[in-house]
Amino acid sequence: MRTKTTLEKALKFVHNCKFIFSFKKNIFQRNLFSLFFFLIAATSFAQSGSCNALLIVENNGNIRSTPLDGTYYSMVLTNNSSSTDTFVLRSKNINASCTNTDASSTTSNVIINTDFIDSERNSLGEITLNAGESVNFYIHITVPAGTSIQKWSCNQIIATSKNCTNYAVDTVLHTYIINPVND
């Protein structure tokens, strides 16, 4: 009788241990999933809230005329976030979707070349800025040979964050190709 009771107690103990360990495993799995979900959500929220930048043309000079040998736009990029960020620079021709500043038709707008350079005329592809830091750089506009004169070109200048997915700042340049005879 005594061995039967001891055996029953031992079986009950083993059963309770199985239950406790399987219960803790379930709690661990649920907590691990919740923790993983929380980390993804927090990272996404932190990234979306932490990226903040400003891209402007110095002195609001978004509209310029250029001779055939080109011109320069002076740009300022500011990282207004709380952490260091790297911005990838690119230019996109948007003649089909912009409005010329003189209200002329965009159907005859031309394509020009844009190059990003620093103050020492070194080529730029990206810029890294500390939190709160600003940098001046230039966009060198050149007119390809054979381009029609007295025409507009619209170019969107874009600085895309490497820290935050889908975060970018931009500005639009309106460049008028002047007639060199009238210059």
Side-chain angles (χ1 to χ4, degrees), residues 70-87:
T71 191
Y72 293 87
Y73 285 92
S74 179
M75 309 294 294
V76 179
L77 178 61
T78 303
N79 179 4
N80 291 322
S81 73
S82 58
S83 60
T84 299
D85 200 351
T86 298
F87 297 90

Side-chain angles (χ1 to χ4, degrees), residues 100-138:
N100 290 337
T101 59
D102 64 356
S104 63
S105 171
T106 59
T107 57
S108 61
N109 279 17
V110 295
I111 295 175
I112 57 178
N113 298 323
T114 55
D115 295 306
F116 298 92
I117 57 174
D118 64 16
S119 59
E120 297 170 358
R121 296 186 186 241
N122 296 315
S123 181
L124 289 174
E126 58 185 44
I127 296 173
T128 300
L129 296 171
N130 293 322
E133 185 179 15
S134 292
V135 69
N136 289 73
F137 66 98
Y138 300 92

Side-chain angles (χ1 to χ4, degrees), residues 13 15 23 25-26 29 49 53-54 58 63 65-66 77 87 106 116 120-122 128 138 162 169 173 178-179 182:
F13 175 75
H15 181 285
F23 183 71
K25 184 179 178 188
N26 288 338
Q29 286 175 341
L54 180 65
E58 206 166 49
I63 304 167
S65 59
T66 184
L77 178 61
F87 297 90
T106 59
F116 298 92
E120 297 170 358
R121 296 186 186 241
N122 296 315
T128 300
Y138 300 92
K162 280 191 167 181
V169 289
L173 306 179
I178 62 172
N179 184 345
N182 297 337

Side-chain angles (χ1 to χ4, degrees), residues 2 17 25 28 30 54 60 62 64 67 78 80 87 89-90 94 104 111 125 128 133 138 141 147 167 171 182:
R2 189 170 166 111
C17 286
K25 184 179 178 188
F28 178 72
R30 279 185 268 159
L54 180 65
N60 295 319
N62 292 58
R64 296 189 69 120
T78 303
N80 291 322
F87 297 90
L89 304 173
R90 68 184 176 97
I94 58 167
S104 63
I111 295 175
T128 300
E133 185 179 15
Y138 300 92
I141 300 294
T147 300
Y167 182 80
T171 190
N182 297 337

Side-chain angles (χ1 to χ4, degrees), residues 149-161:
I149 57 172
Q150 296 179 309
K151 303 290 180 188
W152 286 97
S153 182
C154 296
N155 295 85
Q156 182 180 27
I157 306 304
I158 306 160
T160 304
S161 167

Side-chain angles (χ1 to χ4, degrees), residues 32-52:
L32 184 62
F33 176 75
S34 298
L35 180 62
F36 182 68
F37 180 75
F38 173 76
L39 287 174
I40 289 174
T43 302
S44 296
F45 178 75
Q47 284 182 346
S48 66
S50 69
C51 287
N52 185 357

